[in-house]
Amino acid sequence: MEKSRSFPVIGVSIGLVILIAAVWLLLPSNRAKKPIEPSPPAAENVQASGQDIFRYDTYGNEYYFTDTLKLPFTTLLATPAATREKTLGVLTDNAGKIVGIQEVMGDDGKKRWGISCAFCHSTVNEKGERLDGVPNTKLNIGAILALSPTINSVTRKTFLSWGPGKIDVTFNNEADDGVDNPAVIEAAFGTKGIKYFNWNGTFDNAEDRSHFTMDIIGHGNGEFKPPEKWGIVNQDLGDGIDLIGPKMPAVISYIETIEPPAPNPGSFDQAKAVLGAELFKGKANCTRCHTPPLFTNNQKVTPAEVGMNPLHANSPVFKDGTYKVPQLRGVWAIAPYFHDGSAKTLMDVVNHYNTQFKLNLNITEKNNLVEYLKSLH
């Protein structure tokens, strides 16, 4: 039987880890007429459907999070929104709805809770308005998963080691590679025209990347078929149920409309940004890799070329050995930087490449370059 596809949006509270642990202790006429073929849905309708799926569809993963992991959602309901955000980075929008966590009523009459794409790839501004595509780098996915009473102490320790804004996509799922290599949650904006997806550049199209993410990492029920070279098997493959794949075209149609967020007024020095733009194109030669208008050359590089830790690139599952050149539009909104979050600020990024590529930028030039990066959108 196909799993429930109802997706009511209900706020679900996520509480302080210590508090929950204590509670445990006590989502023409005579001729045959040719049938009229239905017109394809208008692009705006597809995109609206994609937005709805992106924000609210759990793809059937509520069975995993509620029945398998037994995450204590009913206990978590008692925690105030401010506490959820402060302790675990789980956000609430201005309508009082939890971002990315959904209550789903199953065919068996049981309430379950699962997650949508928005759980990791949406945030809210100071007014509580949703900013889809912006990664929630406050979100402590590992600490949330560590609340499961069904995991062992080793798995719990690994979950807790990730910290806010990170996830190891090859841990505790079919793609487990036996290596602890968490990476920063990526943005889902500015994807139109981009060639490679995931930090490694594993995927050359957003649809496969998203299907893999919600099927393997998100534990939804889909028919994603891993490449043979990965040496893994999707446990749901062949069960005849695909709650993910058919929805991907609409999701990608919506995601491709999400532009990088514009910087807040007064958040950068315009005069310095103008000087930084000249450095970006000239002395620093950033355009060699981050070529306008996409601000990426859509290439992949080795870790040695860019001075990065190779652990994530050398995943025994993906076998890429590379990192993609990320696009820089909206880069001001996605700190920390690099796949491992080792650069906390844009100045850290500039300092890294100033050393790596021997750019010989002085402090004034570095500051100007940072101001320019802060202006990109």
Side-chain angles (χ1 to χ4, degrees):
M1 178 183 293
E2 182 174 313
K3 295 174 183 176
S4 169
R5 296 191 182 189
S6 62
F7 311 105
V9 185
I10 296 180
V12 178
S13 302
I14 291 199
L16 183 59
V17 177
I18 297 175
L19 173 61
I20 293 168
V23 171
W24 286 346
L25 292 174
L26 290 167
L27 188 0
S29 58
N30 295 323
R31 299 179 184 177
K33 296 182 179 180
K34 182 180 179 181
I36 299 175
E37 296 182 2
S39 300
E44 58 269 23
N45 292 336
V46 173
Q47 291 160 8
S49 173
Q51 182 189 70
D52 190 67
I53 296 168
F54 178 91
R55 290 183 176 184
Y56 309 124
D57 201 319
T58 63
Y59 307 98
N61 63 36
E62 64 274 9
Y63 287 85
Y64 174 77
F65 292 110
T66 303
D67 294 354
T68 302
L69 282 188
K70 300 185 185 303
L71 292 177
F73 290 106
T74 52
T75 301
L76 302 172
L77 283 168
T79 308
T83 302
R84 288 195 306 265
E85 180 172 349
K86 182 178 181 180
T87 60
L88 295 175
V90 177
L91 305 176
T92 305
D93 67 18
N94 54 10
K97 301 183 185 302
I98 301 296
V99 177
I101 298 180
Q102 299 303 123
E103 181 184 284
V104 182
M105 181 67 74
D107 292 337
D108 57 1
K110 179 180 178 179
K111 289 181 181 179
R112 295 177 174 86
W113 292 267
I115 65 170
S116 69
C117 303
F119 187 59
C120 295
H121 303 288
S122 190
T123 185
V124 296
N125 62 17
E126 64 280 358
K127 298 178 181 178
E129 300 165 332
R130 294 209 184 196
L131 299 176
D132 288 345
V134 179
N136 181 4
T137 54
K138 295 180 180 179
L139 184 65
N140 198 326
I141 298 171
I144 295 168
L145 296 174
L147 297 174
S148 169
T150 68
I151 60 176
N152 60 41
S153 60
V154 175
T155 299
R156 181 171 290 106
K157 183 178 180 179
T158 300
F159 280 144
L160 292 173
S161 72
W162 295 351
K166 290 185 180 181
I167 183 172
D168 186 345
V169 301
T170 52
F171 180 73
N172 204 45
N173 56 43
E174 295 97 319
D176 199 323
D177 62 5
V179 180
D180 186 19
N181 52 13
V184 174
I185 300 170
E186 291 190 89
F189 58 65
T191 62
K192 193 172 181 62
I194 299 301
K195 182 177 180 180
Y196 293 115
F197 298 88
N198 278 22
W199 282 108
N200 296 18
T202 304
F203 301 95
D204 61 9
N205 68 86
E207 191 166 322
D208 284 348
R209 182 278 308 270
S210 297
H211 195 170
F212 161 79
T213 299
M214 295 312 299
D215 197 337
I216 305 298
I217 306 170
H219 298 274
N221 195 337
E223 292 286 283
F224 176 80
K225 186 175 182 180
E228 188 174 336
K229 71 173 185 176
W230 289 7
I232 68 170
V233 176
N234 177 4
Q235 295 174 6
D236 291 326
L237 190 63
D239 68 359
I241 301 174
D242 192 352
L243 303 181
I244 305 173
K247 301 167 185 173
M248 287 299 99
V251 171
I252 301 309
S253 179
Y254 170 59
I255 289 176
E256 288 189 342
T257 69
I258 304 176
E259 289 294 317
N264 296 321
S267 62
F268 67 94
D269 187 307
Q270 295 186 6
K272 291 181 179 180
V274 171
L275 298 174
E278 292 304 313
L279 287 164
F280 190 87
K281 294 180 290 185
K283 182 177 178 180
N285 195 21
C286 304
T287 53
R288 171 180 55 176
C289 294
H290 299 286
T291 312
L294 294 177
F295 286 86
T296 175
N297 59 5
N298 272 331
Q299 299 295 319
K300 294 192 281 187
V301 295
T302 66
E305 288 178 76
V306 288
M308 291 292 128
N309 185 318
L311 185 65
H312 192 80
N314 293 335
S315 165
V317 170
F318 299 143
K319 303 177 177 66
D320 296 301
T322 58
Y323 292 118
K324 70 177 181 183
V325 175
Q327 63 101 349
L328 298 184
R329 298 172 63 214
V331 70
W332 64 270
I334 61 172
Y337 304 103
F338 302 148
H339 73 281
D340 56 2
S342 57
K344 305 304 180 186
T345 67
L346 286 170
M347 181 57 79
D348 292 337
V349 174
V350 171
N351 282 331
H352 172 83
Y353 286 124
N354 189 45
T355 300
Q356 176 70 15
F357 297 133
K358 299 178 173 59
L359 302 177
N360 296 316
L361 299 175
N362 61 41
I363 186 60
T364 298
E365 291 171 324
K366 288 190 287 187
N367 280 323
N368 290 342
L369 190 54
V370 165
E371 294 305 302
Y372 175 62
L373 294 172
K374 287 160 62 176
S375 76
L376 295 178
H377 65 95

